[in-house]
Amino acid sequence: MRETEVAVLRRRLAEMAQNLWWTWEPEAIEIFRDIDPDLWRRSSHNPIVFLGNLNDSDLATRVEGKAIESRINFQFRRLREYLNSSQSYGQKHAGPLWRRPVAYFCAEFGLHESLPVYCGGLGILAGDHLKSASDLNIPMVGVGLFYSHSYFSQRIDESGWQQENYPSSSTETMPIRRVLDGKGNPLIVAVRTGDHDIRLQIWQLNVGRVRLFLLDSDIEDNDQTDREMTRVLYGGGEAVRIRQEIVLGIGGYRALRVMGIDPAVLHLNEGHCAFGPLEAVRLRMKEQAEDYRTALENVRRRTVFTTHTPVDAGHDRFPPDLVKANLGWLIAELGIDLEEFMALGRTRTDDHSGPFCMTVLGLKLSRRRNAVSALHAETSRRMWKSAWLNREEGDVPIGHITNGVHVKSWLAPSMARLYVRHLGKVWETRMSFYEFWQDIDRVSDIELWEEHQVLRDQLIRFVRRRLALRLARLHGTDPAHVTVDALDNGILTVGFSRRFATYKRVALILSDPDRLDAILNHPERPAQIIFAGKAHPQDHEGKRLIQQIFEAMRDPRFRSRIVFIEDYDIWVARHMVQGVDLWLNTPERPKEACGTSGQKVLLNGGLNCSILDGWWAEAADGLNGFIIGDDREHADPAVQRARDAQALYRVLEEQVVPEFYDRNEHGVPACWVRRMKHAIKTLGWRFNSDRMVKDYLLELYLPAAGGKSCAF
Ligand SMILES: *Cc1c(COP(=O)(O)O)cnc(C)c1O
């Protein structure tokens, strides 16, 4: 192969590596892997690192030896076609947004494991939202913060205690680029917090067709404190948090305008970014000479807000002094007094001393507000009703759009191939249609079941590899010499991974060890559980929960039946949701706003077993998974917990286990597979982010882009 040909291939690979599109295209991923599987693994599946470590002669040999060249050219062409295609949902339906896009603000974006600027569900949801906006071709830009120190990586010590470490991430090896000004220098925007300006650089990421801009204060123009401000996601105390949120909202909006982007709609995804519209108000007052009230009303008509949690600690609140100290300049420019400003963040007008709540700000600055599941909307109306004193609880204007997941990011490549084989390549664009999935019956039970067995097997090998790495680390040996005999690849495999927040009640299944022993170690019908998840660094109780799992693992009865994978992230989550038989979810109803991890198993053939909370409360029909307990809530959490634990054991003993092991003459659990197909049919079309983003478009974005006044 000539040098120039190698250079062309390298350029094409590098261009693919710079757009996150490759992360949800299995055929693109497989190219990197097939060039050099070993190097791909050593590069942690980061194509930029990978290409950096691959010299030209190795690239040439590999590509020639495996006839990969035509595959590279083909995928490269597909990327170009994807970016330029005019055949799309958005082309037909996004109307006015083609002139001015939606600006989607969020404090975190979970797009891929090589971009550690997320911590949990909110970030993953935001990442999936952008990916579907790209696939559907809906004009959108994302706005967030760049955290140079990732959330944290988790290790568990010998005593079962979580240790955190904060590796700094190198921008060199991420698919991000600084936004430059006309002269080729980094574009800088300044935002005042307190008594001085803080300067921000802007990173751009390409998520398919969608651009995501991340702001970062870690530059030389700032003093040390300011430089550290955006380093850690949700880091520091409230004094840091308010400044991060000023940077995100006000800095984010300002950055868009400086780049010439004048969004038609502001979507505030959770309260952290809710200062954003105030910058839009300030600019209207300045540029269009509107008075404060007119400008506020005009901005409100174009703003929509999504609330994401019923857990009180999830809503940022700042004391008046802190607001005044940081935002005195803005309050003065808006021409209002502190009291009027504070009222924007307080539910009750007769409250003159309470803190400033970012969620209330979001609710008040938007024309439409939504929760993320039907049940969460009910809870949210109850939580925030005091902001609408003249309304009955049922009339509080908070609706819902239930979350969904970006299917191609979570689907096993072999399942995608199965869908292509039986339903055609159109499955990718038809997945949010109910009728489409009814054809899953064309797949035979045997084929679906065997596919699933392979996926379970892959998961178990993955988990064993991770366990070996941990043991090798603890004992100072080579992972290659560690044998892990935990887990069995032919038995019922339950996955449970979450943040270890108290309301998620991770240890519910451990509450009666004897009963659990009887389930896991049944002589003919055994089962096993794979746990993963992080506790917040300051959450002692959450860390205790992890330790409780490790204590259970020391019990000889559970040694090979319960395992814990360290460092839960997108990479671990993807393996788990692809390979488990059952996805377990035991939150304290109604605290799980939606929950999305269970949605990721649906099209992979996994079944959910969950409390009727979040999305499951509107999804479960009794046959498309398993229901723990009922929809009653008890005022005493201890009573509720005891009741739910009983219900959990009962559903495992009476339904899950017998059905899983009830095999026909082909060795297939016919009832179980019927449930898998029923889940695909009834849930696949609804709980994906294409459906979700279409709902946002039709219900929120288009009315807001019209800018017409609204009922509330
Ligand atoms: C999907 C996902 C979550 C969110 O899961 P929940 O069901 O909301 O708990 C959190 N973390 C990771 C890494 C995920 O992939």
Side-chain angles (χ1 to χ4, degrees):
M1 188 176 276
R2 285 203 310 272
E3 252 174 60
T4 48
E5 289 170 331
V6 179
V8 168
L9 287 182
R10 182 179 285 282
R11 249 199 333 273
R12 294 190 163 174
L13 288 168
E15 191 171 324
M16 278 163 54
Q18 287 294 336
N19 191 314
L20 289 176
W21 173 84
W22 73 266
T23 63
W24 67 88
E25 283 299 329
E27 290 159 39
I29 299 170
E30 282 159 11
I31 288 176
F32 291 117
R33 192 195 57 203
D34 291 352
I35 292 174
D36 186 339
D38 194 41
L39 180 61
W40 179 239
R41 190 168 326 127
R42 280 187 282 121
S43 314
S44 304
H45 318 106
N46 177 331
I48 297 174
V49 175
F50 175 79
L51 291 172
N53 288 328
L54 186 71
N55 63 40
D56 277 353
S57 75
D58 284 347
L59 175 59
T61 333
R62 299 278 174 168
V63 166
E64 276 177 344
K66 298 190 190 167
I68 294 175
E69 186 180 354
S70 60
R71 283 166 60 197
I72 296 176
N73 292 331
F74 180 64
Q75 289 309 318
F76 179 74
R77 229 178 19 251
R78 280 189 64 221
L79 169 61
R80 285 285 173 91
E81 277 166 15
Y82 176 89
L83 295 177
N84 299 320
S85 160
S86 57
Q87 296 289 326
S88 64
Y89 178 86
Q91 207 80 30
K92 283 205 204 80
H93 300 282
L97 297 174
W98 286 105
R99 287 189 298 280
R100 294 165 62 200
V102 175
Y104 181 88
F105 285 73
C106 191
E108 50 170 313
F109 286 91
L111 291 152
H112 188 254
E113 55 270 18
S114 60
L115 278 163
V117 292
Y118 66 93
C119 95
L122 178 69
I124 309 279
L125 189 268
D128 282 0
H129 193 103
L130 295 191
K131 290 173 184 174
S132 272
S134 169
D135 287 346
L136 295 167
N137 200 9
I138 290 168
M140 184 178 292
V141 293
V143 180
L145 295 182
F146 179 75
Y147 309 97
S148 57
H149 290 59
S150 56
Y151 182 58
F152 69 84
S153 74
Q154 176 199 52
R155 293 192 165 169
I156 311 292
D157 67 18
E158 298 258 23
S159 71
W161 199 250
Q162 170 177 296
Q163 308 291 339
E164 299 98 26
N165 99 58
Y166 292 79
S168 72
S169 1
S170 163
T171 51
E172 308 279 304
T173 57
M174 293 184 192
I176 63 178
R177 258 179 242 159
R178 275 193 196 81
V179 175
L180 304 178
D181 65 15
K183 298 200 203 75
N185 299 317
L187 184 66
I188 302 291
V189 290
V191 176
R192 173 149 297 218
T193 68
D195 60 357
H196 68 284
D197 282 355
I198 179 164
R199 274 165 244 284
L200 306 160
Q201 60 179 342
I202 309 165
W203 298 97
Q204 177 179 334
L205 261 106
N206 297 319
V207 185
R209 300 183 246 230
V210 169
R211 289 172 299 166
L212 168 60
F213 299 105
L214 301 177
L215 276 59
D216 173 11
S217 69
D218 198 359
I219 50 176
E220 281 178 10
D221 312 22
N222 292 320
D223 67 26
Q224 198 55 29
T225 319
D226 287 351
R227 289 189 69 157
E228 285 172 12
M229 219 224 359
T230 58
R231 278 191 192 163
V232 180
L233 173 58
Y234 307 138
E238 60 186 13
V240 172
R241 189 69 79 82
I242 193 171
R243 299 186 72 211
Q244 284 191 339
E245 296 184 0
I246 291 169
V247 166
L248 172 62
I250 297 180
Y253 189 81
R254 203 169 285 181
L256 291 180
R257 291 295 304 275
V258 170
M259 291 184 288
I261 299 167
D262 185 9
V265 179
L266 301 187
H267 184 168
L268 310 175
N269 197 45
E270 191 58 306
H272 314 109
C273 50
F275 288 130
L278 294 175
E279 171 67 2
V281 171
R282 192 189 69 88
L283 283 175
R284 285 189 83 98
M285 292 171 68
K286 208 164 117 197
E287 292 168 356
Q288 325 212 8
E290 288 178 353
D291 61 47
Y292 169 70
R293 291 200 173 283
T294 312
L296 187 70
E297 193 44 39
N298 282 330
V299 169
R300 219 172 62 86
R301 285 176 186 172
R302 295 182 179 277
T303 303
V304 301
F305 172 69
T306 306
T307 178
H308 281 270
T309 181
V311 177
D312 200 57
H315 301 273
D316 284 331
R317 292 183 170 86
F318 301 118
D321 285 353
L322 197 62
V323 172
K324 186 169 169 221
N326 281 284
L327 285 167
W329 63 273
L330 177 67
I331 298 169
E333 285 196 42
L334 295 176
I336 57 179
D337 59 21
L338 178 65
E339 201 47 38
E340 190 171 356
F341 190 86
M342 287 299 295
L344 292 169
R346 290 175 177 150
T347 50
R348 303 176 62 103
T349 46
D350 60 353
D351 173 4
H352 300 294
S353 60
F356 186 94
C357 173
M358 296 302 286
T359 305
V360 175
L361 181 66
L363 292 170
K364 291 198 172 180
L365 292 184
S366 51
R367 66 177 284 135
R368 286 280 181 102
R369 311 147 196 92
N370 71 291
V372 290
S373 72
L375 180 60
H376 177 224
E378 265 177 50
T379 315
S380 299
R381 289 191 284 267
R382 192 161 61 240
M383 273 180 88
W384 305 109
K385 64 182 175 202
S386 61
W388 285 273
L389 275 182
N390 53 349
R391 289 189 184 228
E392 297 292 320
E393 186 177 307
D395 294 332
V396 168
I398 301 177
H400 76 275
I401 291 179
T402 304
N403 288 340
V405 295
H406 186 252
V407 171
K408 289 181 72 182
S409 294
W410 301 105
L411 192 65
S414 59
M415 284 304 285
R417 283 194 290 271
L418 181 136
Y419 292 139
V420 171
R421 261 195 323 276
H422 293 279
L423 306 172
K425 186 77 181 156
V426 292
W427 83 269
E428 293 184 0
T429 48
R430 311 276 307 157
M431 72 172 87
S432 49
F433 294 88
Y434 170 81
E435 298 77 26
F436 179 75
W437 289 109
Q438 306 316 304
D439 285 346
I440 192 65
D441 283 335
R442 285 193 213 151
V443 183
S444 78
D445 287 2
I446 297 182
E447 184 177 356
L448 187 59
W449 183 244
E450 289 193 339
E451 193 60 63
H452 178 68
Q453 305 270 90
V454 172
L455 289 172
R456 184 191 320 107
D457 203 49
Q458 281 172 7
L459 167 63
I460 284 168
R461 274 185 285 136
F462 169 77
V463 175
R464 286 193 181 137
R465 244 186 348 261
R466 295 283 290 226
L467 295 178
L469 285 174
R470 171 164 190 273
L471 291 176
R473 188 185 76 232
L474 291 177
H475 303 143
T477 50
D478 182 340
H481 299 142
V482 180
T483 42
V484 176
D485 50 11
L487 303 181
D488 187 328
N489 48 18
I491 71 176
L492 174 66
T493 302
V494 180
F496 195 120
S497 54
R498 315 229 122 54
R499 271 183 311 115
F500 278 51
T502 321
Y503 79 88
K504 303 241 187 198
R505 300 191 305 189
V506 180
L508 192 72
I509 195 167
L510 303 177
S511 52
D512 183 343
D514 294 336
R515 202 157 165 191
L516 183 61
D517 172 35
I519 296 171
L520 299 188
N521 292 305
H522 189 282
E524 285 101 42
R525 309 184 309 193
Q528 57 196 356
I529 311 175
I530 303 170
F531 283 102
K534 292 175 175 176
H536 187 280
Q538 266 98 54
D539 181 7
H540 199 83
E541 231 180 303
K543 292 185 185 181
R544 258 304 292 158
L545 289 171
I546 294 178
Q547 198 170 40
Q548 237 177 300
I549 294 173
F550 275 82
E551 281 160 13
M553 283 156 54
R554 268 200 292 276
D555 183 333
R557 296 177 294 178
F558 300 134
R559 189 161 288 153
S560 68
R561 294 281 189 246
I562 298 181
V563 298
F564 185 98
I565 319 179
E566 289 175 324
D567 209 19
Y568 182 49
D569 67 352
I570 292 180
W571 171 242
V572 173
R574 199 185 302 116
H575 281 83
M576 288 187 64
V577 300
Q578 293 177 359
V580 294
D581 300 302
L582 194 76
W583 193 255
L584 192 62
N585 183 38
T586 53
E588 181 185 334
R589 180 184 153 113
K591 294 202 174 140
E592 187 66 271
C594 178
T596 53
S597 53
Q599 301 174 350
K600 298 169 193 162
V601 308
L602 295 172
L603 293 175
N604 283 305
L607 291 177
N608 279 270
C609 178
S610 171
I611 299 278
L612 283 173
D613 197 6
W615 74 286
W616 195 238
E618 68 199 71
D621 68 2
L623 296 173
N624 52 15
F626 302 93
I627 298 171
I628 303 170
D630 53 34
D631 59 3
R632 285 178 306 158
E633 291 158 26
H634 199 283
D636 180 350
V639 175
Q640 182 75 45
R641 189 188 158 85
R643 201 151 74 186
D644 288 343
Q646 291 301 320
L648 167 60
Y649 291 123
R650 206 172 324 117
V651 74
L652 291 174
E653 292 158 352
E654 293 172 8
Q655 292 183 47
V656 174
V657 171
E659 233 175 73
F660 184 85
Y661 286 103
D662 180 14
R663 305 298 165 100
N664 65 16
E665 68 277 21
H666 306 292
V668 174
C671 287
W672 187 277
V673 174
R674 200 173 320 132
R675 248 183 231 269
M676 285 165 67
K677 287 184 175 173
H678 189 61
I680 292 169
K681 279 188 207 170
T682 55
L683 306 174
W685 69 279
R686 277 168 83 189
F687 298 103
N688 64 70
S689 52
D690 280 11
R691 189 275 310 151
M692 170 180 79
V693 170
K694 286 179 188 174
D695 284 353
Y696 275 101
L697 177 74
L698 300 175
E699 293 177 32
L700 270 59
Y701 298 160
L702 290 178
K708 296 203 184 60
S709 68
C710 41
F712 19 82

